[in-house]
Amino acid sequence: MSADHAAELFGLTDAVALVTGGAGGIPKATAVALAKAGAHVAVADIADEFTARTVKEIEELGRRAIGLHADVRQPADVHAMIEETRRQLGPITVAVNAVGGLGVATPKSFLDFTLEEWNGPVERNLTATMLCMQAEAVAMISDGMAGRIVNFGSTSGVTAAPSIAHYGAANAGVIHLTKSAALELAPYDIRVNCVVPGTHLIDRAGRETPTSRRPEQAEFLRQAAAATPLKRLGGAGETAGVALFLASDLSSYMTGHAVISDGGMMHTSQRPAVGTVTPAALTGIETRAGAGGRHE
C-alpha cells in the first residue's frame, strides 16, 4: 500500500490534533502516531522539557507542532490551550484527552480516604476530561468541524480497583461521560470514544523499563505481566494505535465506545490488586473479615 493510500484511509492529512498529557508515555506516542498519519499536533502538558521533546520529534516528521503549558484541571488553562491551538495551527479536528493517572495518590483503603485524597484522582482524571471536552466541543461546533474526541480511561474504571477506589471511580466516570457526550454531540457530527488501557510499563520519557521503581511497584508489575494472557505488559505505541484508530476515518461509524487495550487481562480473574492495605479506620475494631454467611 502506498503512503498516499494509507493517508487516505486515516483521513488525517493536514488535520489539526490536540493531545493533552503529550509530554510522555502513551499520550506522547499518540501525538507522534497522529503526526505520522499526517496531522499537525498541539502538545499540552505541564512538563515543559518533555513537551519540547515531543514537539521536536513531530517536527522532524515534517509536521507542524506546538507545545503548550496547560494544567487541564484549570478552566482558564483549558480555554487558553484551545484558543492558542486554533490561533497557531487552525481549527481542531481531533482532540485526545489523555491526562490522568493516580498522581501523588498511594494505594489506600477507601475507608481511610480524606476528602482531599478523594478529590485528587477525581480532578486529575474525570474533571480534567470534562473541562477539556466542553471547550473542545464548543470550538469544533463554532468552527463547523466534524470532530473526533478521544478520551483515555483505565481498566480500573471497568473492574473493581481495591486500594485505588478513587482512581477507579474517576475512570468509570470518564467512560460514562464519554458515552453520554457521544449522544449529545452526535447531532453536530462529533464522535466521542474512549481508550481504556490496562497496565503498561512506561516512564515519563517513554522508556519501557522497570528500573528505579519502588520494590512494591516492581512486584505489582511482575504480577500483572505474569497474569496477562499475552504474558507481558503493554508498550506505549501499541495502545497509541488504538487512539489513532478512534481519531481516524477508520472508525467513522463508532461513537460512545470504550475500547480496552490490556493484553486480554479483562478476560481473566487474575488481575492483581495495586497493593494490600489494612484500613486504619478499623484500628481497635473487632472484625469478622472473611467470615461468610449471616452474622447473628
Side-chain angles (χ1 to χ4, degrees):
M1 181 185 296
S2 69
D4 287 343
H5 286 156
E8 184 179 347
L9 280 174
F10 287 119
L12 291 170
T13 301
D14 291 328
V16 173
L18 167 65
V19 181
T20 69
I26 300 172
K28 175 185 177 179
T30 300
V32 173
L34 287 164
K36 288 180 178 178
H40 307 296
V41 187
V43 182
D45 208 301
I46 58 173
D48 296 340
E49 177 185 352
F50 291 103
T51 299
R53 295 182 190 181
T54 305
V55 168
K56 184 174 184 292
E57 192 170 334
I58 291 170
E59 289 175 337
E60 289 173 350
L61 294 170
R63 300 285 89 191
R64 294 161 59 207
I66 60 172
L68 302 169
H69 183 97
D71 181 345
V72 293
R73 297 168 296 184
Q74 306 300 326
D77 278 21
V78 170
H79 286 282
M81 170 185 76
I82 298 294
E83 291 311 306
E84 196 62 18
T85 299
R86 295 164 82 191
R87 187 182 73 81
Q88 293 197 49
L89 297 180
I92 299 168
T93 303
V94 173
V96 179
N97 300 312
V99 168
L102 273 168
V104 298
T106 57
K108 192 173 190 179
S109 170
F110 88 95
L111 295 174
D112 295 328
F113 288 162
T114 64
L115 183 57
E116 182 180 11
E117 289 169 332
W118 168 263
N119 285 340
V122 171
E123 290 176 351
R124 184 180 176 88
N125 294 270
L126 179 55
T127 303
T129 299
M130 185 273 294
L131 290 172
C132 288
M133 288 178 66
Q134 283 183 326
E136 291 155 359
V138 169
M140 290 174 179
I141 294 168
S142 297
D143 293 332
M145 303 302 293
R148 308 92 184 257
I149 297 175
V150 181
N151 297 323
F152 268 75
S154 167
T155 51
S156 294
V158 179
T159 190
S163 304
I164 52 169
H166 42 7
Y167 175 66
N171 279 285
V174 170
I175 294 170
H176 189 282
L177 179 62
T178 295
K179 295 176 179 181
S180 296
L183 297 186
E184 290 197 31
L185 296 178
Y188 305 101
D189 206 10
I190 296 173
R191 298 190 293 111
V192 189
N193 290 290
C194 187
V195 181
V196 183
T199 304
H200 287 61
L201 191 58
I202 305 159
D203 67 9
R204 168 57 101 176
R207 295 183 296 262
E208 297 169 21
T209 169
T211 58
S212 302
R213 296 181 184 273
R214 297 194 303 270
E216 61 271 24
Q217 288 179 312
E219 177 58 20
F220 165 72
L221 293 173
R222 185 197 67 76
Q223 292 181 22
T228 302
L230 293 182
K231 299 303 179 186
R232 62 180 177 82
L233 300 180
E238 294 177 297
T239 295
V242 179
L244 174 61
F245 167 70
L246 294 175
S248 77
D249 284 351
L250 290 171
S251 60
S252 59
Y253 198 52
M254 288 181 64
T255 195
H257 289 285
V259 182
I260 296 173
S261 178
D262 71 339
M265 176 70 79
M266 293 293 291
H267 299 301
T268 78
S269 59
Q270 306 300 313
R271 187 174 187 265
V274 183
T276 302
V277 297
T278 301
L282 300 182
T283 301
I285 299 176
E286 184 178 353
T287 68
R288 299 182 61 183
R294 294 178 57 191
H295 291 182
E296 301 294 343

